[in-house]
Amino acid sequence: MIFPYLRGIFVKFQQAPLTWMLIYLNFIIFAFTSEHTPWKEVDNLQTAQKMVLTGQLYYQFENPKENVLPDRSPQDWVLYATQGLRDRVFVYSGADRNYQGDQIAIEQWKKELTALAGSIDSRKMNIYGLNGFRDSPLAWITYQFTHGGLAHLMMNCLVLLIFGAALERMLRPAEYLFLYIAFGWAAAIGFLAFANSDMVPLVGASGSISGFMTCYLMLERKKNVAFGYFIGFSKDYYGIVYLPVWIIWPLTILPDLVGYLSAHESLGAGIAYAAHLGGAVAGAVYGFIRRRAQSLFASDFQSHYEAP
Amino acid sequence: MNTYDPNAYPQQVTEHAIAPVQDRLLAFTLDFLLFVPLCSLLLSGVIKNTEYLYKVAPTSLEFVIHFAVVTVLYLFFATAFQTVCYILWQKTPGQYFLKLRVHDISGSQHRIAGTRWFLRSFLFTFQIPLLLPLLEILSHPLRRALHDRASDMIVVTLKSEKDFGPHPLESALVRQVLLVAFALIGFWSLAGVGYVYKLASSGEFKKKELIESQYLCKSMSHFVSSKDNRLDHAITLFLADRISEECLAAEADFAFWKPGHGEQDWAYLAKAFVNKENEKLFRSYLEESCKQKQSSAPCKISQQLLRTESSSIEGLEQSLTGSFLSFEYLISQGNWKKAEKISKNLMAAKGLQSFVLDRLIKIEWQKERREQAVAMSDVAQVFADEEQKIETSAWLCFEQLENGCQSELKACDQFANNLEEATQPLQSNMAGVALIELHRCRPKMEISANLLYQLRASKRPFVQYEQVRSAVSQSKASEKSGLAELVQTKSYNGYIKYAASINWIPLVNHISELDQFVESLASMKLPSYQTYKLVLKATDKAIELGFAQRALEYTKLVPTNFLNHKQYNQTVAKALEGLNQLDKADSYKQRSPAQFERESGL
């Protein structure tokens, strides 16, 4: 295992106050925006039989002129159902159509789909998250502080701590905070450009953090930076090694690109690769511009903090 | 860092600064983290399809091929990347950062040929999935594994701290580990090859493929023929417990999605039986099956089922399902003549012979033709499947045990044999009850722990029955209260209730308990034969307690078709003797079935 160490993983508050404040803010907001109740309308539809039926009905929904179902395995129908349940048009209007098949099971299914559609707007992820069909300017900010779960939040905060602490030394405080939000907006634009009618909202700070990563990569002037490694428990099998800073690209940004290109649309990766890439591109562009400006107008951009 | 201790390590006589193992591992990790995303980027399209197939059909040949292609491509690109790096720079990026280099073992400074680099890269890449050959790095004195030795290379460090080679203990350990590992792998590989070859030779792969491709429901493949109405047949097989609920539901769904509406009424009827536990859904499906055509066979069946419980299910013999339901209904009412007539239709249908034979055997027994029933059961042992054999012999054994342990228990011997030969898990309450009662009769008989485990699994009524009847040291009072609980619990299966009742009645001390029990008989909804047996048992007990008049009143509850039975007549005669009505008692003792049939018109 190799990971960027930079200024360290657990940097002291005094050494990265803004980063720590952002982390605390994320935790506090998570406490208020995390969902505590199960989503029973989704649970009702997620039995094996109902998912097969949903897949078959989604096929009819998409292909209304066909009256014979293709020969597919139950797993295939379940996957197709997953795709259907992410399709906003199907979820909101699927119950209004007539379908061929077991009419009693279909009537029951329609009631459950209608209940699901009615419950979406009351879920916190949909209230605070960002998706293409809700016209809510505030969501462009709230989504960055909403997370899907504790593990999601902690992972993001850990990476924020590593890169945010490193970047904080290179930027002014107001600039740092503005960029956190701005990279989040860039991530949102990236997500919306590829979201189509996907129901699943965008949540999390990873778009902003991707921007921080690439911005740091462009601004870091040192040739080699610290990376932590762990191969085993014996001496010399763990420690710190100094490697070129550009290695962060294939370790972090390239997997996002690969994930985006290799994710099958019906499977739903659960990770908004397009958002990561949007934030990363914005961070890289800003970092590049700032670095050029720094070299042209060196004194105006002198950092608040001393270089290590 | 390595510290050289001349007392611990033999000093290596070499001019090479051998690269430390941890540096090589770290360099490999870095290369891995750099190469894998690059390779994945190039292969993203293939990975996408492979992932999809993994979710949809992980056991399909398509997935296996996709996976194999992805693996080969990864290995190819890894080899190519390494080869290019070595040709251009004599090192990979990870080795560059960790200050490692790959040199010719002879120390020559001449440019190394691309083919040698390719050989080294190829062997290294293909050792990674195997892993074990790379362990030689830990045991070889110069830390050279196969890929280094084959290409005459060595990995050195430019750092001042170098490796002094493995300690003799380290070398010995790794060699032994490799030896054992290869021996195990070799053995299991040979065994695996042999097993796969055996499967292929016996046609198992092809058979599985045929079943999966040709038939919607695997179980139906044994029974269906082109002349059958498939769903009609499927419903009867489901009712006879030959196919599962999932199978019937799958058959019904398949019919729903066919163009036209030909079989949809049958499909709704099938779905009704699948959802029988849910009263509302059951009725909805039955009503739906009549929407297409009121005169269709499924609609007629549905209409009968939708009526109140007391209505009969008769006159539906145009379809197999109708015949089956009529057959079962007639048996439960004791109308054996009509049931036997219908049985001929059912015997012609594939998959139902064992079931019908089982019912016919029970009819013979219920007619008090005990020897014929046991003889038929002997014959049925040849034709019936394992499950049916056990069910039939269990039922007969339980009936025989009522006459006491000393009587001839031929059916119980048959039952014990069937249990010994059983290959499928035993899940029937009837078989479980018969087993417990047989064990009480033959305490020395061993019951397989596996059998008991199968019966106990998720069957609470059986577990309770076993606890009550198997406890050796418990008092009669405790056994009685345990059995009473089984009798009174409404949710318990009919056969457990019946068996508990049969064994509870002899333990009763007060006539009021018997009165209550007899009053509750109607609500138990047992088949008529079981009701008959319980009434007779209660009558005997009432006579024993000195309530002959009460006993006579109980006999009025006997179903009509059993009024010609010898046992019934003898019981009534006993009650009349208790009331000193000896003439009447004599007339009952002398009654013959023929006389009764003339009198009653049956």
Side-chain angles (χ1 to χ4, degrees):
Chain A
M1 190 170 77
I2 292 178
F3 49 91
Y5 189 76
L6 308 183
R7 292 181 59 199
I9 296 176
F10 296 106
V11 179
K12 286 184 190 168
F13 180 87
Q14 294 88 341
Q15 291 176 319
L18 278 174
T19 305
W20 275 110
M21 276 173 53
L22 276 176
I23 289 172
Y24 292 146
L25 186 64
N26 270 292
F27 269 94
I28 291 168
I29 293 174
F30 176 74
F32 287 104
T33 60
S34 63
E35 205 68 63
H36 300 294
T37 54
W39 198 352
K40 65 173 171 37
E41 288 83 5
V42 163
D43 293 341
N44 286 345
L45 272 175
Q46 286 197 332
T47 62
Q49 265 185 332
K50 294 232 177 91
M51 286 297 276
V52 169
L53 180 62
T54 305
Q56 289 167 344
L57 296 179
Y58 184 55
Y59 181 85
Q60 286 189 58
F61 185 84
E62 295 258 278
N63 305 279
K65 291 183 181 166
E66 290 195 32
N67 62 358
V68 176
L69 273 186
D71 191 16
R72 288 188 184 187
S73 67
Q75 295 97 320
D76 213 340
W77 286 124
V78 169
L79 270 183
Y80 204 59
T82 313
Q83 207 178 329
L85 291 176
R86 294 164 69 96
D87 184 339
R88 177 181 162 255
V89 177
F90 177 66
V91 171
Y92 279 100
S93 62
D96 301 333
R97 297 256 190 109
N98 289 326
Y99 299 98
Q100 191 180 326
D102 180 348
Q103 297 304 313
I104 292 171
I106 289 170
E107 279 311 307
Q108 179 63 27
W109 174 87
K110 282 183 179 179
K111 283 181 197 164
E112 283 166 355
L113 188 72
T114 308
L116 170 66
S119 69
I120 287 170
D121 286 341
S122 63
R123 302 297 293 184
K124 287 181 183 166
M125 283 244 299
N126 286 287
I127 294 171
Y128 301 114
L130 180 75
N131 50 38
F133 57 92
R134 289 192 68 218
D135 191 17
S136 171
L138 208 57
W140 284 71
I141 295 177
T142 57
Y143 95 83
Q144 295 178 45
F145 297 93
T146 308
H147 287 82
L150 190 61
H152 183 205
L153 172 68
M154 291 190 70
M155 200 63 223
N156 276 344
C157 287
L158 183 64
V159 181
L160 175 61
L161 191 56
I162 294 172
F163 286 95
L167 199 60
E168 199 174 332
R169 296 180 63 143
M170 300 172 185
L171 302 173
R172 296 193 176 91
E175 187 184 5
Y176 178 93
L177 290 173
F178 173 74
L179 286 178
Y180 183 83
I181 301 291
F183 291 154
W185 289 339
I189 291 169
F191 172 76
L192 291 174
F194 298 98
N196 297 324
S197 59
D198 202 313
M199 288 273 298
V200 180
L202 175 67
V203 292
S206 34
S208 312
I209 294 166
S210 297
F212 268 17
M213 270 191 230
T214 48
C215 188
Y216 167 76
L217 284 171
M218 300 307 286
L219 293 179
E220 179 58 78
R221 289 177 184 279
K222 287 185 283 186
K223 196 177 169 200
N224 294 331
V225 294
F227 282 78
Y229 71 92
F230 179 83
I231 300 168
F233 290 100
S234 305
K235 191 164 164 278
D236 297 327
Y237 282 75
Y238 60 87
I240 305 287
V241 65
Y242 285 85
L243 297 170
V245 67
W246 60 261
I247 280 183
I248 294 175
W249 284 98
L251 288 184
T252 54
I253 308 302
L254 196 54
D256 278 334
L257 182 61
V258 173
Y260 174 72
L261 292 173
S262 61
H264 199 281
E265 50 278 350
S266 65
L267 297 182
I271 299 172
Y273 294 114
H276 290 187
L277 292 170
V281 166
V285 167
Y286 179 81
F288 176 75
I289 293 171
R290 197 182 193 282
R291 188 171 174 148
R292 292 286 294 185
Q294 263 181 312
S295 52
L296 286 172
F297 307 106
S299 60
D300 291 351
F301 282 87
Q302 195 167 4
S303 171
H304 240 337
Y305 303 95
E306 288 184 5
Chain B
M1 292 313 294
N2 286 327
T3 50
Y4 172 55
D5 178 2
N7 296 321
Y9 290 82
Q11 191 164 7
Q12 296 296 333
V13 181
T14 173
E15 69 277 17
H16 298 289
I18 303 170
V21 174
Q22 61 271 20
D23 282 2
R24 290 178 74 167
L25 270 174
L26 190 54
F28 169 72
T29 308
L30 264 173
D31 287 333
F32 182 85
L33 290 173
L34 290 171
F35 283 156
V36 165
L38 276 172
C39 287
S40 302
L41 189 63
L42 295 171
L43 298 175
S44 53
V46 184
I47 293 169
K48 191 178 185 175
N49 293 333
T50 309
E51 201 185 335
Y52 179 77
L53 280 171
Y54 173 69
K55 296 282 184 184
V56 168
T59 57
S60 67
L61 190 58
E62 285 82 356
F63 169 69
V64 170
I65 290 172
H66 268 76
F67 184 76
V69 166
V70 166
T71 307
V72 166
L73 286 174
Y74 263 111
L75 293 173
F76 166 75
F77 279 121
T79 307
F81 277 137
Q82 280 182 85
T83 308
V84 166
C85 288
Y86 283 133
I87 289 173
L88 293 177
W89 301 298
Q90 219 173 338
K91 51 196 171 280
T92 61
Q95 288 169 346
Y96 169 73
F97 296 130
L98 273 298
K99 293 187 170 40
L100 303 176
R101 299 292 179 269
V102 182
H103 285 170
D104 191 307
I105 188 66
S106 62
S108 161
Q109 297 300 311
H110 290 301
R111 196 177 174 77
I112 296 172
T115 46
R116 279 176 70 190
W117 288 123
F118 172 75
L119 178 66
R120 187 180 189 279
S121 308
F122 178 83
L123 287 173
F124 176 72
T125 306
F126 281 83
Q127 279 179 103
I128 296 170
L130 302 172
L131 206 62
L132 286 172
L134 288 172
L135 287 181
E136 270 201 285
I137 292 174
L138 297 172
S139 63
H140 193 273
L142 296 178
R143 303 281 189 201
R144 298 170 75 210
L146 173 66
H147 57 288
D148 289 319
R149 296 200 307 277
S151 55
D152 272 341
M153 311 259 196
I154 183 169
V155 182
V156 299
T157 180
L158 300 180
K159 294 180 186 173
S160 54
E161 292 156 356
K162 59 183 180 179
D163 194 274
F164 288 93
H167 193 278
L169 287 175
E170 191 183 349
S171 264
L173 172 67
V174 172
R175 276 201 301 275
Q176 295 302 316
V177 164
L178 282 174
L179 194 62
V180 170
F182 282 123
L184 281 171
I185 289 169
F187 172 75
W188 285 112
S189 300
L190 279 171
V193 163
Y195 178 68
V196 167
Y197 180 74
K198 188 183 159 202
L199 282 179
S201 300
S202 62
E204 284 294 327
F205 293 121
K206 192 67 187 168
K207 183 176 162 191
K208 193 176 169 191
E209 190 187 312
L210 279 173
I211 288 171
E212 283 175 3
S213 65
Q214 286 183 14
Y215 299 106
L216 186 68
C217 177
K218 282 190 277 188
S219 319
M220 286 291 289
S221 65
H222 300 298
F223 309 119
V224 75
S225 76
S226 56
K227 292 180 194 171
D228 285 343
N229 174 337
R230 194 179 167 106
L231 266 174
D232 183 18
H233 202 155
I235 294 172
T236 51
L237 290 171
F238 170 71
L239 293 172
D241 236 359
R242 301 308 305 276
I243 62 171
S244 64
E245 196 177 283
E246 288 77 22
C247 185
L248 184 61
E251 291 285 334
D253 280 334
F254 186 69
F256 279 128
W257 298 108
K258 269 189 187 170
H261 300 282
E263 289 183 22
Q264 288 202 0
D265 40 6
W266 279 111
Y268 280 117
L269 182 63
K271 279 291 187 91
F273 283 112
V274 167
N275 290 284
K276 203 166 181 196
E277 302 294 318
N278 185 329
E279 181 68 29
K280 196 174 159 200
L281 267 180
F282 178 61
R283 295 187 77 84
S284 300
Y285 275 112
L286 289 177
E287 283 160 6
E288 196 70 29
S289 75
C290 280
K291 277 201 177 154
Q292 298 296 333
K293 199 174 166 191
Q294 295 265 328
S295 58
S296 67
C299 181
K300 285 187 181 166
I301 295 169
S302 300
Q303 282 168 345
Q304 296 242 15
L305 289 171
L306 280 167
R307 287 190 202 133
T308 58
E309 291 158 13
S310 59
S311 69
S312 68
I313 303 177
E314 289 187 74
L316 301 169
E317 287 85 42
Q318 312 102 307
S319 65
L320 209 54
T321 303
S323 296
F324 186 97
L325 291 171
S326 299
F327 179 64
E328 286 279 79
Y329 174 76
L330 290 166
I331 291 176
S332 73
Q333 295 301 305
N335 199 336
W336 299 310
K337 264 194 186 150
K338 281 190 182 174
E340 277 164 358
K341 269 191 196 158
I342 294 176
S343 70
K344 287 172 189 153
N345 286 351
L346 294 173
M347 284 289 267
K350 275 192 194 173
L352 292 178
Q353 290 89 354
S354 308
F355 177 84
V356 173
L357 211 50
D358 168 74
R359 292 299 192 264
L360 292 175
I361 290 166
K362 287 172 183 170
I363 288 174
E364 287 301 304
W365 184 276
Q366 289 172 35
K367 284 182 183 174
E368 288 188 325
R369 292 163 56 159
R370 307 278 156 96
E371 284 170 13
Q372 286 88 332
V374 175
M376 276 175 76
S377 172
D378 283 337
V379 171
Q381 296 295 307
V382 177
F383 299 108
D385 59 33
E386 185 184 293
E387 203 180 318
Q388 201 63 67
K389 275 196 252 188
I390 291 173
E391 283 282 305
T392 310
S393 54
W395 191 90
L396 287 172
C397 176
F398 186 80
E399 292 295 317
Q400 276 190 336
L401 283 168
E402 275 191 64
N403 297 330
C405 285
Q406 283 70 39
S407 60
E408 194 184 311
L409 299 172
K410 204 173 165 196
C412 290
D413 295 331
Q414 219 171 57
F415 176 54
N417 278 344
N418 289 337
L419 286 178
E420 261 179 58
E421 289 165 10
T423 55
Q424 307 285 338
L426 197 61
Q427 291 178 342
S428 150
N429 271 332
M430 195 189 296
V433 162
L435 183 63
I436 298 300
E437 295 304 321
L438 182 60
H439 191 246
R440 277 176 69 100
C441 189
R442 296 177 183 172
K444 287 185 185 166
M445 177 181 121
E446 281 181 20
I447 302 183
S448 141
N450 186 36
L451 264 179
L452 279 176
Y453 174 78
Q454 290 166 7
L455 287 164
R456 285 173 194 151
S458 71
K459 283 196 176 283
R460 205 177 151 261
F462 170 75
V463 171
Q464 208 171 335
Y465 186 87
E466 188 204 349
Q467 279 170 353
V468 169
R469 292 293 281 170
S470 297
V472 170
S473 55
Q474 71 175 343
S475 65
K476 289 282 179 200
S478 148
E479 188 182 348
K480 183 184 159 194
S481 73
L483 287 170
E485 196 186 325
L486 282 165
V487 172
Q488 285 153 18
T489 308
K490 281 186 184 172
S491 55
Y492 282 177
N493 168 270
Y495 201 82
I496 293 277
K497 216 186 257 297
Y498 165 67
S501 306
I502 280 281
N503 291 303
W504 172 78
I505 291 171
L507 302 172
V508 163
N509 310 110
H510 298 286
I511 193 66
S512 55
E513 287 175 318
L514 268 183
D515 284 340
Q516 270 179 4
F517 173 76
V518 168
E519 269 173 33
S520 69
L521 260 180
S523 64
M524 282 192 202
K525 294 179 197 169
L526 296 171
S528 64
Y529 177 67
Q530 288 176 0
T531 305
Y532 162 66
K533 294 292 294 290
L534 289 173
V535 167
L536 275 197
K537 204 92 180 182
T539 308
D540 280 334
K541 190 65 188 179
I543 296 170
E544 190 186 307
L545 292 173
F547 289 87
Q549 184 60 42
R550 199 69 60 82
L552 213 53
E553 281 165 25
Y554 289 168
T555 60
K556 289 176 188 166
L557 297 169
V558 166
T560 344
N561 52 299
F562 293 99
L563 296 178
N564 61 342
H565 275 214
K566 190 173 160 189
Q567 205 177 349
Y568 163 75
N569 290 322
Q570 282 177 349
T571 307
V572 171
K574 227 168 45 175
L576 289 167
E577 279 168 2
L579 292 170
N580 271 326
Q581 295 179 22
L582 300 173
D583 291 337
K584 252 185 164 177
D586 280 339
S587 77
Y588 269 93
K589 277 185 195 170
Q590 285 154 23
R591 261 179 143 189
S592 70
Q595 182 187 354
F596 172 78
E597 278 171 17
R598 277 198 302 275
E599 286 173 8
S600 67
L602 272 176

